[in-house]
Amino acid sequence: MKKIKYSMLTLLGLALVFASCGDQGKSSSNGALSSSAAEKVYVAPGEQDDYYAFLSGGYSGNLTVYGLPSGRMFKEIPVFSQFPTSGYGYSEETKPMLNTSFGFVPWDDSHHPDISQTSGELDGRWIFINGNNTPRIARISLTSFETEEIIEVPNSAGNHSSSFITENTEYVVAGTRFAVPVPQRDMSIKEYKGNFKGALSFISVNPEDGRMDLKFQLLMPGFNYDLSHPGRGKSHGWFFFTTYNTEEANSLLEVNASQNDKDFIAAINWKKIEEYVNNGGGTKMPANYAHNVYDEHTHTATSTMKKEVLTVDPTQVPGAVYFLPTPKSPHGCDVDPTGQYIVGNGKLSADLTVHSFDKMLAAIEGEKFDGEAYGIPILKFEDVLAGQVKSGGLGPLHTEFDDKGNAYTTFFISSEVVKWKVGTWEVIDRKPTYYSVGHLMIPGGNSRKPFGKYVVAMNKITKDRYLPTGPEMEHSAQLYDISGEKMELLYDFPTHGEPHYAAGCPAELLAPKSQKIYRLDENKHPYAALGTNDTRVERKGNEVHVYMSMIRSHFTPDNIEGVKVGDKVYFHITNHEQDFDVPHGFAMIGQNTSELLIMPGQTKTSVWEPKTPGVWPFYCTDFCSALHQEMQGYVRVSPA
Ligand code: CUK
Ligand code: CUA
C-alpha cells in the first residue's frame, strides 16, 4: 500500500514538474504518463468520444464497442455466442442465428472485424467478423448495432484469414487456416501432403441490403492460410493471403513446418476468377452450410441449409493466382493505402518484407517465374521485393497505416510498436507495449483513408497493468497518440475476451444514424400484440401461446391461468414503448433459457416448460420506472 501511494505521489510530482516546464508527454520507464496525456484522453462528463472502436471478442464470440480516446466500453454486441444480457441466442427469434451444419453452436472465436467500404473508404454501413472455430462470417448493422446475418463457410476449418472486405464491399473473404480433405472424408492424416486443400471463399455482399452469398471457393494447395488483405487503389481486384506450413506437414513441430526459409503470399486476381465464374466456369460440389438471416421487421431470424457450392481450381484460370515468396512464416498481410505495397510480417524474423504491386505485375508480364507449386507460378523474390524494413524488433505480426505515409508494425516478442516510413523503409520511432502485442488498429488504417490520430495496441499479456483479479486478467489495450513524429502512450484500458483485431471510424460516421427505436407500426412479427386488444392466451394442443404487451409499468395479461405441467408455454412479448432507451425485460422463475431484453417496438419470444404445479411469478428484469418493481405477474400451473 505504502509503496503504491509513494509512487503515485511521485508521478503526480513529476506531472506537475513537466506541466510547469511546458514539457509535453514525457513518460517514465514503465510507460506511466504526464498530465498532458491525461488531458488527451479525458472526455468530460456529458461529452462524447471522437471515434468508435470495435474490438473482436476472441473466445467470447462477440464484438465490443469502445469510445476513443476515453477507452470506455459502450456495448457488447452478441454475434456467435448466446448472450443472456439481451436473450440473443436464447429467444426463439434469435436461436436460428446460431444454427450450423454441425447443429446449434452457441459459441465461437471471433478474430477480425472489418467495416464496409465504398471506393476504399469506410462507409459505416456494416461491420463483418469471422467465427474462427466453426467457420462463419457475420454481418452486423452499424445502424441497429445488431447481428443481421451469419453465413457458414463449408470446406473450411479454422476460418482465420477472414473477414476482410474488398474496396467496394463486393466481397467479404473467408480463408481457411487448416487444410482439410475436400470434401471431408475418412483418410489417413499422414496422407495430408498433396491431398488436403485450402479453401479461400469469396462471399458476395448485396450493395442494397448487405445480404451475403457464397459466390465461389478457390481450392488452393494444402497450406495454412493465415491472414489476408484486399488490394486497393491500383491493386483493386486482387487479394493477398499469407501462408505458412508450405511444407504441408501434418504435425507442426518446428522440424516439420518451419523448414522452408520462405513461405508464400498468395496473390489472387479475384476479378479474373469472378469473370471465369460468370462465364460458367467452376464446378458445383455438394456442401452443407447454414445461412441465417435476421429480418428487422419481423424481428425474427430464419435459418436455411444450403446444399451446394461452386468451387474453382486455380490452375484452370490462367493468370489469376501467383505465389510471392516471403521469408519466415509471415503472419499479417497488410496493404498500404495506395495499394502499391504488400507487407508480409515474417513472425520468425526481425525484418519486414514489403512487396511491390507494380513489380509483381511486371514480373508476371515478363513471365519470370521461379518454378511452380501445384501448377501455380512462383515469382522470384528479388523481382517482387520493394524493400525490407530493418526493424531491430522481434516477432512482427501486424501492420497498419496512417494518412501521412507511415506504417506501424507490432512486434510480439520484443513487445513494441515500430513506426516506419513507407517507401524509404526507415524506422522513425518505437514505443514499448505492455505486454506482447498482437494486432493494432488505426481507425480506417486498412482503407484508402486512414484517420491517423490514434493507434490502439491490443496486448496478449496483462500481468501488472491493473489491480490483480486472480490468475485470470482481462487483456489490455493501449492507446497511443500518433499525430506527431513520435508516438505517445496515452492510456491503458481493459478489453473483453481476447481482441485479436479491431476496426474504428470517426464518431460522426455512425452516431447520427444510430437507430433509436423500432417503430411499433412497422413491427411485422407474426406473434406481435400491437394493441392491448391483441393480447390473449391461446392453446394449440400442448402449446400455450401468450400474446403479451409491456409498457411502464405492467404486463398485459399479468395473470395467466389454464397452463398445465407438460405444456410448452410461448411468451410472445411486445414492448409498446416508443421512447428511446426504455427497454423492459422478462424472466420466468426457473427458466432454463435466459431472460429477454425487449427494446421499444420489438417483439421477442421466450419458451417455458413448467414441471411443477403451482403459481409461478415472472417479472421485468430492467429497471424501467419508479414502478419497475411492480412490473410482475403470475402463471398458474395445474397438474397434467
Ligand atoms: S491473429 Cu490474433 S494476433 Cu487471429 Cu489476427 Cu495475429
Ligand atoms: Cu419494465 Cu422494469
Side-chain angles (χ1 to χ4, degrees):
M1 237 9 232
K2 211 169 181 186
K3 199 175 160 207
I4 293 171
K5 274 189 184 148
Y6 176 73
S7 64
M8 281 181 65
L9 279 176
T10 312
L11 282 178
L12 277 174
L14 280 173
L16 284 173
V17 170
F18 287 137
S20 61
C21 302
D23 198 339
Q24 302 272 309
K26 281 269 162 58
S27 60
S28 74
S29 60
N30 68 349
L33 302 154
S34 71
S35 60
S36 76
E39 271 168 31
K40 287 182 185 173
V41 299
Y42 183 64
V43 178
E47 288 183 5
Q48 296 189 340
D49 281 283
D50 298 331
Y51 293 90
Y52 283 96
F54 297 87
L55 275 61
S56 80
Y59 32 67
S60 82
N62 293 338
L63 185 68
T64 47
V65 189
Y66 284 77
L68 300 180
S70 75
R72 297 182 293 187
M73 186 176 125
F74 299 141
K75 186 173 192 170
E76 180 168 3
I77 303 175
V79 184
F80 298 112
S81 295
Q82 281 181 306
F83 195 61
T85 305
S86 63
Y88 178 88
Y90 291 100
S91 72
E92 292 304 294
E93 288 80 3
T94 52
K95 275 201 273 191
M97 292 301 278
L98 304 178
N99 272 357
T100 74
S101 64
F102 299 88
F104 183 69
V105 181
W107 165 85
D108 216 306
D109 178 17
S110 60
H111 278 232
H112 305 120
D114 207 6
I115 295 173
S116 57
Q117 298 183 10
T118 301
S119 306
E121 295 183 16
L122 303 180
D123 64 20
R125 302 179 75 190
W126 308 293
I127 187 164
F128 297 85
I129 192 164
N130 59 322
N132 196 33
N133 176 59
T134 305
R136 287 177 275 185
I137 301 285
R139 179 177 55 81
I140 295 133
S141 158
L142 287 180
T143 306
S144 66
F145 290 69
E146 289 204 68
T147 304
E148 287 190 330
E149 190 178 7
I150 294 179
I151 191 166
E152 192 182 347
V153 187
N155 297 328
S156 189
N159 176 28
H160 194 259
S161 39
S162 324
S163 52
F164 301 103
I165 52 157
T166 55
E167 178 162 287
N168 293 300
T169 322
E170 295 97 333
Y171 291 99
V172 51
V173 162
T176 197
R177 167 186 172 181
F178 297 95
V180 289
V182 175
Q184 272 290 6
R185 60 190 175 275
D186 175 25
M187 64 179 282
S188 166
I189 300 169
K190 295 205 170 60
E191 289 166 34
Y192 171 160
K193 192 168 184 158
N195 291 313
F196 286 17
K197 290 267 181 281
L200 306 181
S201 306
F202 285 74
I203 299 166
S204 62
V205 179
N206 184 316
E208 297 306 315
D209 56 12
R211 292 285 168 91
M212 298 186 282
D213 186 27
L214 176 45
K215 178 118 174 173
F216 61 87
Q217 273 191 330
L218 196 59
L219 294 184
M220 296 283 287
F223 312 149
N224 292 63
Y225 295 83
D226 200 9
L227 279 149
S228 70
H229 255 75
R232 55 179 60 100
K234 61 163 54 188
S235 53
H236 178 62
W238 289 77
F239 225 102
F240 304 94
F241 294 79
T242 45
T243 66
Y244 63 101
N245 189 26
T246 48
E247 298 85 351
E248 295 177 83
N250 51 293
S251 165
L252 291 205
L253 292 172
E254 244 175 89
V255 283
N256 295 328
S258 301
Q259 276 168 355
N260 290 353
D261 182 53
K262 296 189 181 67
D263 291 289
F264 301 127
I265 285 179
I268 316 265
N269 186 331
W270 60 261
K271 281 258 188 202
K272 242 196 178 113
I273 301 171
E274 183 184 58
E275 203 181 288
Y276 170 76
V277 163
N278 286 345
N279 290 325
T283 311
K284 285 193 178 142
M285 214 181 102
N288 276 328
Y289 60 103
H291 185 198
N292 311 329
V293 179
Y294 182 80
D295 183 296
E296 57 175 321
H297 296 298
T298 60
H299 302 279
T300 303
T302 45
S303 177
T304 318
M305 201 57 69
K306 301 268 186 165
K307 296 286 176 213
E308 205 174 58
V309 64
L310 184 64
T311 61
V312 174
D313 172 351
T315 62
Q316 297 304 304
V317 197
V321 183
Y322 297 92
F323 286 135
L324 285 54
T326 306
K328 304 286 177 196
S329 302
H331 183 58
C333 180
D334 301 293
V335 179
D336 84 308
T338 68
Q340 172 67 285
Y341 298 113
I342 303 122
V343 183
N345 305 285
K347 57 188 183 281
L348 300 178
S349 126
D351 303 336
L352 303 177
T353 299
V354 187
H355 295 305
S356 153
F357 181 72
D358 284 346
K359 287 178 83 172
M360 182 191 94
L361 289 186
I364 293 170
E365 180 87 6
E367 298 192 0
K368 289 205 234 152
F369 303 135
D370 194 7
E372 56 163 61
Y374 296 103
I376 296 169
I378 302 172
L379 300 170
K380 284 205 185 92
F381 179 64
E382 301 72 28
D383 290 346
V384 291
L385 186 71
Q388 278 174 310
V389 181
K390 303 275 175 205
S391 71
L394 269 180
L397 291 185
H398 298 282
T399 299
E400 291 250 311
F401 302 89
D402 69 12
D403 47 354
K404 299 173 208 81
N406 302 304
Y408 301 77
T409 301
T410 54
F411 288 78
F412 177 79
I413 298 172
S414 52
S415 278
E416 56 184 336
V417 176
V418 173
K419 174 180 178 181
W420 50 276
K421 191 97 207 145
V422 177
T424 69
W425 325 122
E426 65 191 307
V427 171
I428 299 169
D429 189 24
R430 62 194 328 128
K431 283 286 182 300
T433 58
Y434 304 90
Y435 305 89
S436 298
V437 60
H439 273 273
L440 77 176
M441 184 275 282
I442 293 170
N446 69 348
S447 74
R448 282 171 74 175
K449 192 183 169 198
F451 300 86
K453 178 93 172 84
Y454 303 109
V455 65
V456 179
M458 285 156 274
N459 307 317
K460 300 299 183 190
I461 296 172
T462 303
K463 281 187 191 163
D464 53 7
R465 298 305 283 187
Y466 311 125
L467 289 176
T469 51
E472 187 190 343
M473 301 281 286
E474 286 287 21
H475 284 223
S476 79
Q478 293 185 295
L479 183 74
Y480 297 79
D481 181 339
I482 54 166
S483 56
E485 170 90 353
K486 300 284 179 192
M487 295 179 273
E488 184 192 0
L489 175 59
L490 298 180
Y491 197 55
D492 277 17
F493 59 94
T495 58
H496 192 61
E498 180 183 356
H500 284 262
Y501 189 39
C505 67
E508 58 264 23
L509 193 62
L510 305 186
K513 73 182 181 83
S514 173
Q515 191 164 350
K516 296 221 160 37
I517 56 158
Y518 298 105
R519 284 177 48 177
L520 197 57
D521 59 3
E522 288 178 354
N523 182 329
K524 299 274 182 291
H525 191 292
Y527 290 92
L530 296 180
T532 316
N533 292 342
D534 304 329
T535 61
R536 62 197 186 275
V537 180
E538 271 177 12
R539 175 174 283 280
K540 281 186 196 152
N542 73 334
E543 290 183 358
V544 177
H545 291 267
V546 181
Y547 295 73
M548 189 184 267
S549 68
M550 50 186 4
I551 194 159
R552 279 164 286 182
S553 293
H554 57 271
F555 295 98
T556 309
D558 65 349
N559 279 209
I560 298 158
E561 304 215 0
V563 171
K564 294 198 186 77
V565 170
D567 283 344
K568 227 175 168 180
V569 184
Y570 290 81
F571 298 97
H572 308 288
I573 312 164
T574 304
N575 182 343
H576 281 195
E577 306 285 352
Q578 289 287 268
D579 292 331
F580 181 39
D581 204 18
V582 190
H584 295 287
F586 175 85
M588 189 73 224
I589 191 170
Q591 197 172 0
N592 62 4
T593 59
S594 81
E595 59 94 46
L596 300 178
L597 190 72
I598 305 163
M599 302 314 293
Q602 197 176 34
T603 304
K604 284 186 181 172
T605 301
S606 180
V607 175
W608 181 54
E609 297 180 62
K611 300 278 188 298
T612 320
V615 178
W616 303 106
F618 57 85
Y619 69 96
C620 171
T621 48
D622 186 276
F623 204 108
C624 48
S625 77
L627 294 176
H628 156 75
Q629 211 61 352
E630 277 73 3
M631 199 165 167
Q632 62 176 48
Y634 289 105
V635 181
R636 174 182 171 187
V637 178
S638 307

